[in-house]
């Protein structure tokens, strides 16, 4: 006779949506770390140094979001939304258009980062939406 699952011990099988969101968060964090390293080493093309605090805050939010996601907390949605918004500023598709402001790509050398970042943002949004809608997370008690 099969037994009912104990709510104190969640199913150890990985949830594909959680894995997708964790992967997107990790990818965005790696892109931000690479851009931050480019800033500090002045390796062209690098973003302006004034963006370093923004990248640092976003990395902290990525870590918080990943921890909340691993804990299966419904609260992960708020930091995920903030990471998404900041990532859109850094790697959004608007960067594919040339322009004089630092919010646009100054050179086509950053296009691979923008394309990969835009795809990771889309995966983060889609996976997060699916997780929240499917009830794959716990509401705080």
């Amino acid at each position: 006779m099969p037994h009912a699952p104990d709510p104190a011990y969640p199913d150890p099988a990985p949830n594909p949506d959680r894995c997708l969101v964790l992967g997107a968060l990790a990818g965005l964090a790696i892109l931000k770390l690479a851009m931050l390293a480019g800033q500090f080493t002045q390796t062209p093309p690098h973003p302006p140094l004034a963006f370093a605090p923004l990248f640092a805050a976003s990395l902290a939010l990525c870590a918080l979001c990943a921890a909340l996601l691993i804990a299966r907390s419904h609260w992960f949605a708020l930091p995920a939304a903030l990471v998404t918004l900041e990532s859109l500023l850094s790697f959004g598709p608007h960067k594919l258009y040339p322009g004089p402001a630092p919010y646009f790509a100054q050179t086509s050398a950053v296009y691979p980062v923008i394309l990969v970042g835009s795809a990771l943002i889309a995966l983060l949004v889609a996976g997060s939406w699916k997780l929240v809608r499917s009830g794959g997370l716990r509401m705080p008690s």
Side-chain angles (χ1 to χ4, degrees), residues 32-48:
K32 290 167 199 295
L33 282 171
M35 298 304 283
L36 197 58
Q39 281 181 329
F40 291 140
T41 61
Q42 297 293 303
T43 305
H46 59 83

Side-chain angles (χ1 to χ4, degrees), residues 30-31 38 47 52 64 70 86 90-91 113 133 136-137:
I30 289 169
L31 287 178
L64 173 65
I70 289 169
E86 187 283 327
S90 301
F91 309 119
V113 171
R133 297 281 299 171
L137 303 168

